[in-house]
Amino acid sequence: MVTARDDGDKVEDGFPDDVTGHHMANSGESSVNRRKKKSMEESDDEDGKGEEVQSIEMIFKEKTVPKWQEQLTFRAFFVSLVLGIMFTFIVMKLNLTSGIIPSLNVSAGLLGFFFVKTWSKFLEKSGLLRQPFTRQENTVIQTCVVATSGIAFSGGFGSYLFGMSDVVAKQSAEDSNNAQNIKNPTLGWMIGFLFVVSFLGLFSVVPLRKIMIIDFKLIYPSGTATAHLINSFHTPQGAKLAKKQVRELGKFFSFSFLWGFFQWFFTSGDGCGFVNFPTFGLKAYENRFYFDFSATYVGVGMICPHIINVSLLLGAILSWGIMWPLIEKRQGDWYAADLSASSLHGIQGYRVFIGIAMILGDGLYNFAKVLGKTLYGLSQHLRNKESKAVLPVADHPSPEKKSVSYNDQVRTQLFLKDQIPTWVAISGYVAIAAISTAVLPQIFHQLKWYYVLVIYIIAPTLAFCNAYGCGLTDWSLASTYGKLAIFIIGAWAGAHNGGVLAGLAACGVMMNIVSTASDLMQDFKTGYMTLASPRSMFVSQVIGTAMGCVISPCVFWLFYKAFHDLGTTGSEYPAPYALIYRNMAVLGVEGFSSLPKNCLMLCYIFFAAAIIINAIRDTSPKKWAEFIPIPMAMAIPFYIGSYFAIDMCVGSLILFIWQKKNKVQADAFGPAVASGLICGDGIWTLPSSILALAGVKPPICMKFLSRGANDKVDTFLSS
């Protein structure tokens, strides 16, 4: 699931490319992922020449691989449900605060291993254990959990779906703030919408799973890294390390949860609490430069590559430290002085649209780059004499290889054993597409049935391109395809026919298809390397997606009802990408007429700058490229502010010092510590939401005032 999971889009690192999207994480790698890739390269050479000193499958040779039905256990789905709910809260909170979502694959695999291993040992001691815990079952859990929590991202609760609401519309261009371009969230239509759009991607690429995994031997770095992790857990040495990692995760989970609970006591009013501590002074605080003591973003900073955190900070300094103060001095010249702070015709317009320009420039560049690599790689495969004249889909024989490693022999045999018939995939896609084409116009009257039909006709091709490109580069371009749908369908519908809402809905349809397609192929790669059956992988993904279609709307509804300022600029949960996506839709149907003076010129400059910076990164020597900032990451603070970037830089600094002191220990336990900080703070959201719904308010308001303001308060209170 990656990718800056805008929103993002690196699947492995869980950042969208908007950061999203799940691509900030795409542009760099954590130390754990680097070690996994190195291991992957050593063990998975496609000609069998680089086989490990001790083959993984030789280690597991004496263990019987359970049938695909036996891999789908009750305990696996019970644990997946519990972890799925926990991770959905985490992803939802991140969606509604900054949109930066780190990879939760490691945490899902680690916690799944711990819970089921504990369960199994308890039953074993009592003599009730009927089935041992296997790596295949571990893979099923990880797949199901990531599929469940992934809906919290692809469902658009922090982007296109919430962007339809009147809360976000009031902060957008006034011309689009009308009834036909607004649809407020309710549980009923959100669950219905997700059920009719979230499964199509699963069926769209199933017939090509064999060519992707076996014939083309695409790497899928995220899926491969996850497989190595799960394989290592189930060796004696890996199990010992996993227990230590879980212990560290538990310690920092408890600390993070209790810290969130402690902070709650001081937040009885607006602007109260540690989150508003003016770390660098009141003037810096006014420009959103402060450390807000968020355990979540300290943990996220420990997971993200250092260059991403530095890029965020550079973007914050450029925007809130330099550009916005200079533009505010032009008040009355570039924009009217009497406009509210949230008006897009004023300073807010520069903040939002310049950020959008950088995101689009970065997205366009990487779309062209990944698509180019995809087409080149595909053409090379098709020219290869061994690939024959046609694509070998699921039911066709594979070309024979001259030499195949023992690992690949065993894995290929098991992977081809449990076929998913192609007719099932095709008929499933057609049936769901037909239902969806009929149902979606009932949910969104502005989204005509023929818009949906066109999307479903072209979606399988785009899903294939996204899954193939992801296999080569580990980048998912789901949010980029979604933005493409916004502009095409929005312009087709027109400004006076609900084009804004139609574009946002079309974005959701497209994003869900191409995102789940690449996610499923990543899972097939993981299953291939852990000897999990393709059928169990597919069923696990379907069940996880179904759980997510119910859990994610319910969790969002809890946030929506508990926090009445949800989605409002400057609130605890501003949902920044919701406004960005809505304004993309407005731009698509209305053009640039709503932009303030000189905003368009600045947008052009930053759009071009994003492309140029990316080009320099890609053409520079590797030792220099890693010091060049990432435009997508730089763009995020333009609208939100720099407080979360400072949190993440603190996390990055902690990890950097830890690596200098003891690199082996930092690499082994850093992800566990970070996951504990993220999970604990994320889970505190549940009791805090329940307290808010119950009307229970904190007893204390802790505010930080200037000397002059404090004197006035003292005078007022003493009078």
Side-chain angles (χ1 to χ4, degrees):
M1 308 274 316
V2 209
T3 193
R5 262 175 186 245
D6 42 277
D7 138 322
D9 274 351
K10 185 172 185 201
V11 172
E12 163 193 32
D13 294 300
F15 293 82
D17 78 344
D18 284 349
V19 191
T20 173
H22 287 109
H23 88 225
M24 298 171 21
N26 303 343
S27 304
E29 297 172 342
S30 67
S31 56
V32 171
N33 291 334
R34 284 194 295 270
R35 288 189 288 113
K36 298 297 181 187
K37 280 190 178 180
K38 182 178 179 183
S39 175
M40 169 191 69
E41 290 162 0
E42 292 172 353
S43 65
D44 217 30
D45 185 278
E46 79 176 53
D47 293 321
K49 297 174 183 177
E51 189 170 6
E52 302 115 314
V53 176
Q54 186 177 17
S55 167
I56 286 291
E57 299 310 329
M58 287 296 291
I59 295 174
F60 292 100
K61 187 176 182 180
E62 302 303 321
K63 294 191 177 182
T64 303
V65 178
K67 296 178 181 179
W68 73 270
Q69 297 95 330
E70 296 173 349
Q71 298 171 21
L72 304 169
T73 63
F74 169 78
R75 67 188 178 193
F77 290 115
F78 179 78
V79 169
S80 297
L81 176 63
V82 174
L83 292 179
I85 293 172
M86 181 175 77
F87 285 3
T88 297
F89 270 97
I90 295 168
V91 173
M92 196 66 69
K93 179 176 180 179
L94 297 174
N95 258 335
L96 298 173
T97 49
S98 72
I100 300 176
I101 304 169
S103 171
L104 297 174
N105 294 38
V106 172
S107 300
L110 183 62
L111 289 173
F113 173 83
F114 171 72
F115 284 135
V116 179
K117 198 71 174 176
T118 304
W119 184 332
S120 300
K121 286 216 169 177
F122 175 78
L123 292 178
E124 188 176 17
K125 288 181 180 179
S126 59
L128 299 175
L129 182 65
R130 296 182 180 179
Q131 183 177 342
F133 182 42
T134 62
R135 54 183 174 144
Q136 290 80 23
E137 190 177 354
N138 204 160
T139 304
V140 166
I141 294 172
Q142 186 270 337
T143 298
C144 191
V145 171
V146 173
T148 301
S149 59
I151 297 295
F153 162 67
S154 62
F157 299 99
S159 55
Y160 64 84
L161 189 144
F162 191 37
M164 302 175 184
S165 67
D166 60 354
V167 173
V168 177
K170 289 174 183 177
Q171 303 171 71
S172 184
E174 287 80 357
D175 295 340
S176 70
N177 192 0
N178 52 61
Q180 66 176 350
N181 282 316
I182 292 175
K183 190 172 183 66
N184 285 314
T186 62
L187 267 180
W189 76 256
M190 287 190 298
I191 292 175
F193 169 72
L194 291 176
F195 265 106
V196 295
V197 301
S198 297
F199 295 91
L200 278 157
L202 302 180
F203 291 93
S204 62
V205 293
V206 163
L208 293 173
R209 68 190 181 282
K210 187 168 70 68
I211 182 178
M212 301 281 207
I213 305 300
I214 295 176
D215 298 306
F216 286 178
K217 287 193 175 292
L218 297 179
I219 298 299
Y220 287 102
S222 297
T224 300
T226 304
H228 279 294
L229 185 76
I230 291 174
N231 282 336
S232 69
F233 283 166
H234 292 266
T235 62
Q237 298 84 354
K240 291 179 182 177
L241 177 61
K243 288 180 182 178
K244 294 179 180 178
Q245 290 172 326
V246 168
R247 195 178 303 123
E248 291 302 308
L249 189 151
K251 288 180 185 177
F252 285 88
F253 177 96
S254 302
F255 166 77
S256 180
F257 183 88
L258 293 174
W259 173 240
F261 179 48
F262 175 74
Q263 289 187 85
W264 175 81
F265 283 96
F266 302 91
T267 57
S268 66
D270 293 336
C272 300
F274 285 92
V275 295
N276 296 288
F277 181 75
T279 319
F280 307 110
L282 290 170
K283 189 64 178 176
Y285 176 81
E286 290 175 7
N287 285 306
R288 304 191 190 181
F289 277 93
Y290 56 94
F291 176 65
D292 73 347
F293 295 91
S294 169
T296 294
Y297 281 109
V298 172
V300 172
M302 293 180 69
I303 291 179
C304 288
H306 298 306
I307 187 59
I308 289 179
N309 300 319
V310 173
S311 298
L312 287 167
L313 187 59
L314 287 175
I317 294 171
L318 176 63
S319 56
W320 290 90
I322 300 174
M323 288 180 59
W324 306 155
L326 291 176
I327 291 176
E328 284 175 340
K329 291 181 179 179
R330 300 287 184 174
Q331 188 178 36
D333 178 14
W334 284 16
Y335 60 94
D338 57 349
L339 293 173
S340 68
S342 62
S343 174
L344 288 177
H345 296 294
I347 185 65
Q348 190 75 343
Y350 297 96
R351 294 171 182 167
V352 171
F353 286 106
I354 293 175
I356 289 175
M358 288 194 75
I359 289 172
L360 290 177
D362 190 282
L364 178 64
Y365 176 89
N366 287 297
F367 173 77
K369 183 177 75 171
V370 174
L371 185 62
K373 288 184 177 180
T374 299
L375 295 177
Y376 176 77
L378 185 58
S379 66
Q380 291 295 103
H381 281 299
L382 293 177
R383 285 200 199 103
N384 192 323
K385 294 180 181 179
E386 294 181 343
S387 295
K388 307 255 174 134
V390 294
L391 295 179
V393 294
D395 300 330
H396 294 166
S398 301
E400 300 210 356
K401 298 290 181 183
K402 294 179 181 179
S403 62
V404 180
S405 67
Y406 178 77
N407 278 347
D408 282 346
Q409 288 179 29
V410 175
R411 291 166 179 172
T412 300
Q413 181 183 3
L414 266 292
F415 191 76
L416 297 178
K417 180 181 177 183
D418 295 323
Q419 292 285 344
I420 303 171
T422 300
W423 68 266
V424 171
I426 295 175
S427 58
Y429 185 88
V430 172
I432 297 175
I435 295 171
S436 183
T437 303
V439 171
L440 283 175
Q442 305 304 314
I443 300 175
F444 306 103
H445 300 298
Q446 300 84 348
L447 189 66
K448 305 302 182 185
W449 67 268
Y450 43 89
Y451 299 162
V452 182
L453 183 61
V454 168
I455 291 174
Y456 287 155
I457 290 173
I458 64 173
T461 302
L462 299 181
F464 167 75
C465 291
N466 194 45
Y468 188 92
C470 188
L472 291 174
T473 65
D474 212 35
W475 288 41
S476 170
L477 296 171
S479 63
T480 302
Y481 287 116
K483 292 165 194 163
L484 188 64
I486 287 179
F487 288 107
I488 293 175
I489 301 300
W492 188 359
H496 302 293
N497 297 308
V500 173
L501 198 64
L504 291 170
C507 171
V509 175
M510 183 65 78
M511 270 187 67
N512 275 279
I513 294 173
V514 299
S515 177
T516 52
S518 62
D519 288 350
L520 178 62
M521 204 56 67
Q522 291 270 9
D523 291 331
F524 277 145
K525 182 69 174 183
T526 303
Y528 170 78
M529 296 184 63
T530 59
L531 301 191
S533 167
R535 289 187 183 181
S536 67
M537 290 288 90
F538 185 76
V539 172
S540 178
Q541 187 88 15
V542 169
I543 293 175
T545 300
M547 290 195 300
C549 290
V550 176
I551 294 171
S552 290
C554 291
V555 172
F556 174 76
W557 193 247
L558 185 61
F559 276 87
Y560 188 66
K561 288 298 182 181
F563 304 101
H564 299 295
D565 58 354
L566 184 76
T568 304
T569 302
S571 67
E572 184 179 359
Y573 298 103
Y577 276 104
L579 182 58
I580 287 175
Y581 270 65
R582 184 174 185 89
N583 283 311
M584 286 183 187
V586 171
L587 204 60
V589 299
E590 296 182 356
F592 301 103
S593 58
S594 62
L595 300 182
K597 185 178 179 181
N598 293 320
C599 184
L600 183 58
M601 179 190 69
L602 291 171
C603 287
Y604 286 146
I605 292 172
F606 280 87
F607 179 88
I611 295 175
I612 293 170
I613 292 172
N614 270 312
I616 294 173
R617 276 182 59 86
D618 287 342
T619 55
S620 298
K622 189 174 181 180
K623 64 179 181 178
W624 299 113
E626 61 185 12
F627 295 105
I628 298 174
I630 301 165
M632 181 71 72
M634 293 179 66
I636 299 170
F638 274 49
Y639 168 63
I640 307 172
S642 61
Y643 56 92
F644 75 95
I646 293 171
D647 294 347
M648 291 176 66
C649 283
V650 169
S652 195
L653 180 62
I654 291 171
L655 182 64
F656 179 78
I657 295 173
W658 193 359
Q659 287 174 333
K660 288 295 182 183
K661 287 190 172 183
N662 191 331
K663 189 174 190 329
V664 174
Q665 187 186 65
D667 289 347
F669 296 103
V673 171
S675 298
L677 291 173
I678 295 168
C679 293
D681 197 32
I683 289 302
W684 164 247
T685 304
L686 176 58
S688 68
S689 300
I690 294 173
L691 289 171
L693 286 172
V696 179
K697 295 184 177 180
I700 304 169
C701 174
M702 181 173 68
K703 278 197 172 184
F704 302 93
L705 306 174
S706 66
R707 184 187 301 129
N710 185 65
D711 290 342
K712 291 179 182 179
V713 171
D714 286 344
T715 302
F716 174 78
L717 293 175
S718 61
S719 61

